[in-house]
């Protein structure tokens, strides 16, 4: 009887995990942050509802900024101190900013994206310059 109860609990837990995955709306993009890089998979999606599943694999706290821009991911305008992206630049249209994504944490963020070119980056001092940026292309 104990084995049946354990099997039932495992099945219930597995169905809860499946429901959580299905509740994420739209296309799912896995974004992994680590010093000093960001990967996104896939990097090209259809316009509409998109869920970013952000994972911080460390070794420190990161953030994730999503901007629409015509600029390449390596050519964003910098602040006067030269250590971070100038998020107030008219060349950038902010879509989302997720702050304080702690080590080994993950977060899902759902947004509606129109066709265009987007850059995902960590804007903590030195992180963008260290290579923490990636391009996302959204097609019709």
């Amino acid at each position: 009887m104990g084995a049946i109860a354990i099997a039932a609990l495992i099945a219930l837990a597995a169905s809860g995990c499946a429901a959580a995955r299905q509740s994420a709306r739209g296309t799912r993009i896995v974004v992994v942050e680590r010093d000093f890089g960001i990967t996104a998979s896939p990097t090209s999606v259809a316009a509409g509802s998109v869920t970013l599943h952000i994972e911080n694999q460390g070794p420190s706290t990161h953030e994730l900024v999503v901007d629409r821009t015509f600029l390449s991911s390596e050519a964003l305008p910098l602040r006067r101190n030269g250590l971070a992206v100038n998020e107030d630049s008219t060349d950038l249209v902010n879509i989302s900013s997720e702050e304080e994504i702690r080590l080994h944490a993950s977060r899902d963020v759902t947004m509606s994206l129109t066709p265009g070119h987007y850059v995902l980056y960590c804007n903590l001092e030195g992180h963008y310059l260290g290579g923490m940026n990636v391009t996302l292309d959204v097609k019709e």
Side-chain angles (χ1 to χ4, degrees), residues 4-83:
I4 294 172
I6 290 171
L9 286 174
I10 291 171
L12 182 59
S15 68
C17 291
R21 281 192 207 121
Q22 291 173 351
S23 68
R25 299 182 325 221
T27 303
R28 184 174 192 255
I29 301 172
V30 176
V31 179
V32 177
E33 295 183 298
R34 65 175 60 84
D35 287 351
F36 279 95
I38 295 180
T39 59
S41 182
T43 57
S44 181
V45 297
S49 182
V50 173
T51 297
L52 301 180
H53 175 74
I54 308 161
E55 299 177 5
N56 180 358
Q57 294 183 359
S60 62
T61 297
H62 292 294
E63 65 180 19
L64 186 72
V65 179
V66 179
D67 284 343
R68 184 174 178 173
T69 184
F70 60 88
L71 301 170
S72 76
S73 64
E74 297 85 21
L76 301 183
L78 299 179
R79 294 181 187 152
R80 288 184 190 211
N81 68 9
L83 298 175

Side-chain angles (χ1 to χ4, degrees), residues 81-92:
N81 68 9
L83 298 175
V85 173
N86 178 4
E87 294 181 46
D88 295 327
S89 170
T90 57
D91 292 331
L92 305 175

